[in-house]
Amino acid sequence: MKCNLCKNVKIGVIIALCLIVVGMVFFGVFGLNKSVDSRTNYEVVVGVDQNLNQAGDKVKSTAESYFNEIGVKYFSMQVIEDGASYLYVFDENKVDAKVLEGKVQDAVGDVVVASCKITEVRPSSSNQIVKTAIALAIASVAIIIYLIFIEKVASTFTVILNSVFASILCVSLLALTRVPIFGSMEIYVVASFILSAIVSTGIVNRSREISSVVGNEKLPYSEIVNKAVIDSGVRILAFVALTLLSSIALAVMFTPHLLFTAIYVLIAGISAVFASILGTAVLWPILKSVKKKA
Amino acid sequence: MKKGNSITLLTILSVLMACLLVITFARFEIGVNNFNSVLGAIELDYDIAGGSTYVASLAKDNIEEVGENIDDVIETVENRMTALGYSAFSVKAVKSVEEGVEDYDIVISAKAPLSNRNLPDSAKLAQDVSVAIAFGEIKFYGDAEADPGEDKQILTDLDVIADATALDPVSDGESVYYQVKVTFTKEGFEAISKLLEENNDKYFLKIMLGNIPIMNASTEDAYLSSQYFEGRSLYITTNDESAAKQTALQIKSGGLAYKYEITDAYDVTAPLGENVPLISAIAIGALIVIVIVALILLYKVYGVAFSLSLVIFICLELLMLIAVPGIKLSLAGIVGILLSTLVVCDGFIITIKRIKEEFERGKTLKSAVKAGYKRALLPIISVSVVSGLVALAIFAFASGSLKCFGITFGIGAVLGVITNLLITKMYSAILLSLVNYDEKAVNFKRTEE
């Protein structure tokens, strides 16, 4: 496989910077696109007082038929108390509680009593950004201490800077793509950090192996990185393929939350690989040259 | 290794692997008991398994208006639930859309912890929810007269409390004491010390937690002597262990100025959808099957060796989820398992690449495998150490579902090293011996000279 990173790295840097700058602007101005259950939403709780004669099934079918009729789509659904009631989460309040209650009562008959309640929900706005940042900072220090003995200074700082770059790129892409965010999106930023550290460690290790081969001492550092990336091609391709397969496997399960999770995993994986290749191609030669001059 | 020995060893390993698979996935009856498999024994958290919901409304005798401070209430309750050991729970404020309703109710949803009999302990969850919404801010009152009143509040504009911890019970032979160690901030301690020094003749200090006095002492008592203020801490005695824990939690989380009471409770299914654990297991299973098929097609015998190792890795990862106490699997934990599987596959690619290179340089297959593993040792260990360090940091500093991610990914990182460097090596040695290290049994090509 031929690839000339030296020629393409500038294009890669421009693309990366554009993605980060635009992504961060989106993040700063609009924030992340929170999913329905992570921002103010509406819950419709419809059900019967007792689940007799499969009344619960009738509640569900009547309610969902009514939602189709009025053209509203629920984001998620939970079953309450062994199927007697159902909780639907909506983005907007378009459901008429009295109409729905009437329809459900007609469907279940007079044996049980139907009820329908709509509430406005204010979810928690807490996040773990600070704790995650502290954890990653401490992890970075620990990684530096370990890698400095194994891979030396230039490779160590290349790995750490690539990982930070991948995390920032991951946040930028999440902001740019406007993927609805639910739960702890910090997990995927951490995933991007870890995956980038792993891929970068492999590339810099390979670079060190190539530079230690007799005859390669006079090769320019950029050429060594180029060879290392080509040699790691199968590994990188396999990494991308596995990330893609993981995302597809989750996405085809057709639940909104797993679909979003699949997208987050894909974005984390792409950020990690892109940051690792580009970052190593730019940083490793520079840091090696600086060290050599020193 | 001789062919006969390889066959024997492979047979033994296959039997062990079959046992491992049965233990991990099979469910059957043994006499009157049911064996639920490792998969069935994994404790699932609220977001993927559902749990119980408690609705807390403002009590009739609540004095303070909540208004826009509802976000602070949610945050306090969340912090308390986290401190009580819950991770994938939900706290939200709900208000009926009917006109005239102004106050929000607090809705707390979580999965009950398991009792000693491995059954959901709903009573414990209900108790913890009560602690999470417990009313009471910590307030200090001081005066030269005994029992200072509400008009004698002190330390109002300061951040006074740094920490509060329930200590282990202490016995003096006759009674058992349950104490809470309250540590003051530097400025809080300096302010209290100044007040005590200025009023050395006689000064009464009262500490209230909501309506309940938790300390009422004077400078004549031992409580307010320098001994008790050692390390900027004060020791408050409570009636029992649960009161000590509740007091410590309330003080540490900053208190709740509004009185809530539980008005409703019901069971709910998982908020992420029904059957998420099953769906995720199918997804990961499908991914593993695709990886196994691809590896066998690409690397033949070597692919079979890694496939067997990958299955063992998954079984061991699931086993560790029940072997390590306190793990509740959430969606974040499932993502951790997925990513650690990815890292294990990456480790295999590193090894196979090195072996291929050695083979291309002209070595025999046996020598290439040996040399390849030697060269792959350092990169695989580095990858695992890096993964493990990040997982450890996340486990130590994060909370909630991020912690579960750290645990499952960290376990995967450790098992990944064992899988790639030991199990795969063992299987490849056995399987390649069976085929007499025939070069056609793997898909390697030599470099044309």
Side-chain angles (χ1 to χ4, degrees):
Chain A
M1 180 170 71
K2 284 192 177 180
C3 145
N4 199 335
L5 270 186
C6 308
K7 286 184 184 168
N8 299 327
V9 74
K10 284 179 189 168
I11 301 166
V13 169
I14 292 168
I15 293 171
L17 284 175
C18 287
L19 284 172
I20 288 175
V21 166
V22 176
M24 283 297 150
V25 165
F26 263 71
F27 184 63
V29 173
F30 304 112
L32 292 171
N33 181 20
K34 290 185 183 176
S35 71
V36 173
D37 52 1
S38 297
R39 55 177 195 259
T40 300
N41 58 71
Y42 295 88
E43 285 181 356
V44 173
V45 177
V46 57
V48 289
D49 54 351
Q50 292 176 86
N51 193 6
L52 296 173
N53 299 332
Q54 295 170 328
D57 294 339
K58 291 176 188 168
V59 168
K60 186 170 186 269
S61 55
T62 308
E64 289 178 11
S65 163
Y66 170 68
F67 298 146
N68 281 336
E69 206 179 289
I70 61 172
V72 292
K73 223 176 159 188
Y74 61 86
F75 176 72
S76 65
M77 184 268 289
Q78 284 176 270
V79 182
I80 298 174
E81 296 273 63
D82 297 327
S85 300
Y86 294 83
L87 185 155
Y88 295 90
V89 176
F90 291 91
D91 198 7
E92 295 170 301
N93 182 19
K94 287 186 176 172
V95 173
D96 188 329
K98 286 192 176 138
V99 168
L100 179 54
E101 191 177 302
K103 282 180 181 281
V104 168
Q105 190 68 73
D106 290 341
V108 299
D110 296 328
V111 179
V112 291
V113 178
S115 66
C116 178
K117 197 170 68 169
I118 303 176
T119 50
E120 180 195 308
V121 178
R122 201 151 154 169
S124 163
S125 55
S126 67
N127 57 56
Q128 293 203 59
I129 292 174
V130 172
K131 284 183 183 174
T132 307
I134 292 170
L136 288 181
I138 290 168
S140 301
V141 170
I143 292 169
I144 287 171
I145 293 169
Y146 169 75
L147 282 180
I148 249 181
F149 294 104
I150 309 292
E151 301 287 351
K152 310 298 175 202
V153 176
S155 300
T156 301
F157 284 99
T158 301
V159 168
I160 293 300
L161 290 170
N162 285 353
S163 303
V164 173
F165 172 29
S167 304
I168 296 171
L169 188 60
C170 181
V171 174
S172 303
L173 286 174
L174 286 172
L176 207 54
T177 54
R178 312 307 294 159
V179 175
I181 305 288
F182 79 94
S184 299
M185 73 105 184
E186 294 90 359
I187 293 167
Y188 307 97
V189 174
V190 169
S192 154
F193 183 97
I194 295 172
L195 295 176
S196 178
I198 289 166
V199 176
S200 304
T201 304
I203 299 176
V204 300
N205 176 270
R206 182 60 102 169
S207 302
R208 185 173 52 76
E209 272 187 14
I210 292 170
S211 55
S212 64
V213 168
V214 172
N216 285 347
E217 299 93 342
K218 291 187 180 174
L219 274 179
Y221 292 124
S222 53
E223 193 58 39
I224 292 173
V225 171
N226 199 35
K227 275 178 172 275
V229 170
I230 293 169
D231 284 352
S232 305
V234 170
R235 182 180 171 229
I236 292 169
L237 275 172
F239 209 87
V240 171
L242 281 168
T243 308
L244 197 59
L245 277 172
S246 309
S247 303
I248 292 170
L250 286 172
V252 297
M253 295 301 152
F254 299 122
T255 71
H257 292 96
L258 285 180
L259 176 62
F260 297 153
T261 305
I263 296 171
Y264 307 151
V265 167
L266 192 60
I267 288 176
I270 290 171
S271 314
V273 172
F274 187 62
S276 300
I277 297 173
L278 192 64
T280 310
V282 169
L283 292 168
W284 197 77
I286 294 172
L287 291 170
K288 281 296 241 186
S289 306
V290 162
K291 195 195 162 202
K292 200 175 180 182
K293 281 177 190 170
Chain B
M1 196 185 293
K2 288 181 182 171
K3 203 165 181 172
N5 291 344
S6 302
I7 293 170
T8 310
L9 204 51
L10 189 61
T11 309
I12 295 168
L13 285 172
S14 302
V15 168
L16 286 173
M17 195 165 153
C19 292
L20 190 61
L21 283 168
V22 163
I23 291 167
T24 308
F25 297 108
R27 293 182 184 193
F28 47 83
E29 288 172 16
I30 307 174
V32 295
N33 297 315
N34 289 329
F35 177 75
N36 210 12
S37 81
V38 166
L39 206 59
I42 294 172
E43 199 181 341
L44 303 174
D45 216 335
Y46 168 70
D47 60 341
I48 57 175
S52 302
T53 293
Y54 292 84
V55 181
S57 309
L58 282 169
K60 286 175 186 164
D61 56 344
N62 177 59
I63 299 165
E64 301 266 354
E65 250 190 63
V66 180
E68 284 306 305
N69 294 329
I70 192 67
D71 290 328
D72 295 335
V73 173
I74 295 173
E75 195 182 334
T76 303
V77 174
E78 262 193 344
N79 290 340
R80 288 178 178 184
M81 287 295 286
T82 304
L84 286 164
Y86 294 89
S87 48
F89 60 90
S90 154
V91 178
K92 53 194 177 191
V94 304
K95 183 171 73 170
S96 174
V97 296
E98 287 170 20
E99 278 183 33
V101 177
E102 289 180 359
D103 294 324
Y104 281 95
D105 291 338
I106 301 294
V107 175
I108 304 164
S109 303
K111 188 150 185 286
L114 293 180
S115 64
N116 293 338
R117 289 170 145 193
N118 253 13
L119 296 167
D121 192 348
S122 305
K124 174 81 174 51
L125 176 58
Q127 187 187 28
D128 288 341
V129 168
S130 299
V131 169
I133 61 169
F135 164 70
E137 279 187 310
I138 191 163
K139 288 181 182 173
F140 296 83
Y141 302 90
D143 195 40
E145 301 281 323
D147 200 16
E150 281 188 19
D151 56 332
K152 301 292 179 187
Q153 192 177 353
I154 56 172
L155 309 174
T156 47
D157 297 324
L158 293 173
D159 189 12
V160 179
I161 303 293
D163 195 16
T165 321
L167 300 175
D168 291 331
V170 170
S171 173
D172 65 356
E174 288 178 6
S175 312
V176 179
Y177 296 95
Y178 302 92
Q179 289 188 311
V180 176
K181 182 182 170 186
V182 179
T183 306
F184 293 93
T185 57
K186 196 179 170 198
E187 54 177 4
F189 178 65
E190 281 169 4
I192 288 185
S193 299
K194 192 179 169 188
L195 279 167
L196 293 175
E197 278 167 19
E198 284 171 0
N199 295 278
N200 203 33
D201 288 340
K202 214 170 190 179
Y203 191 78
F204 290 85
L205 179 69
K206 187 164 88 174
I207 305 176
M208 297 285 288
L209 187 60
N211 298 334
I212 301 165
I214 54 174
M215 197 182 102
N216 199 349
S218 77
T219 44
E220 291 174 342
D221 295 329
Y223 279 127
L224 296 184
S225 70
S226 58
Q227 171 196 359
Y228 275 85
F229 266 112
E230 214 174 276
R232 300 208 307 260
S233 299
L234 197 61
Y235 294 81
I236 295 169
T237 305
T238 60
N239 295 332
D240 53 45
E241 197 175 355
S242 63
K245 286 181 179 169
Q246 179 171 335
T247 305
L249 184 63
Q250 278 183 257
I251 295 171
K252 191 173 176 175
S253 64
L256 197 59
Y258 317 101
K259 210 170 184 183
Y260 282 92
E261 57 188 11
I262 294 173
T263 51
D264 199 4
Y266 45 84
D267 291 334
V268 287
T269 54
L272 296 188
E274 286 189 81
N275 299 320
V276 166
L278 177 64
I279 289 170
S280 309
I282 292 170
I284 294 176
L287 175 70
I288 288 168
V289 166
I290 294 170
V291 166
I292 286 172
V293 168
L295 288 173
I296 292 173
L297 286 174
L298 286 169
Y299 301 114
K300 297 183 183 175
V301 167
Y302 210 84
V304 172
F306 180 68
S307 304
L308 293 168
S309 311
L310 187 59
V311 171
I312 292 177
F313 166 77
I314 291 292
C315 292
L316 288 176
E317 171 102 48
L318 294 175
L319 200 62
M320 291 305 285
L321 292 180
I322 62 167
V324 176
I327 297 181
K328 272 191 194 173
L329 190 65
S330 59
L331 183 62
I334 293 172
V335 172
I337 294 172
L338 193 67
L339 288 179
S340 62
T341 309
L342 217 134
V343 172
V344 167
C345 296
D346 181 59
F348 171 72
I349 302 288
I350 291 173
T351 315
I352 199 79
K353 181 78 179 148
R354 299 297 197 273
I355 294 172
K356 267 184 91 173
E357 283 170 6
E358 294 297 328
F359 185 79
E360 282 165 8
R361 283 178 198 166
K363 285 198 170 92
T364 60
L365 184 58
K366 195 174 184 178
S367 307
V369 168
K370 197 174 175 184
Y373 267 104
K374 204 173 172 186
R375 279 180 61 202
L377 182 69
L378 190 58
I380 288 175
I381 288 175
S382 292
V383 160
S384 295
V385 168
V386 165
S387 306
L389 286 170
V390 178
L392 197 61
I394 293 294
F395 174 75
F397 293 99
S399 56
S401 47
L402 205 57
K403 205 164 185 129
C404 186
F405 169 81
I407 293 171
T408 53
F409 188 72
I411 290 171
V414 171
L415 289 175
V417 176
I418 298 168
T419 303
N420 277 317
L421 296 180
L422 288 174
I423 302 175
T424 311
K425 198 174 177 183
M426 177 184 65
Y427 268 118
S428 62
I430 294 169
L431 292 172
L432 290 172
S433 302
L434 275 176
V435 296
N436 289 324
Y437 286 89
D438 184 358
E439 292 172 7
K440 289 178 190 169
V442 294
N443 227 357
F444 299 161
K445 290 173 188 168
R446 296 206 184 272
T447 315
E448 286 171 23
E449 290 181 27

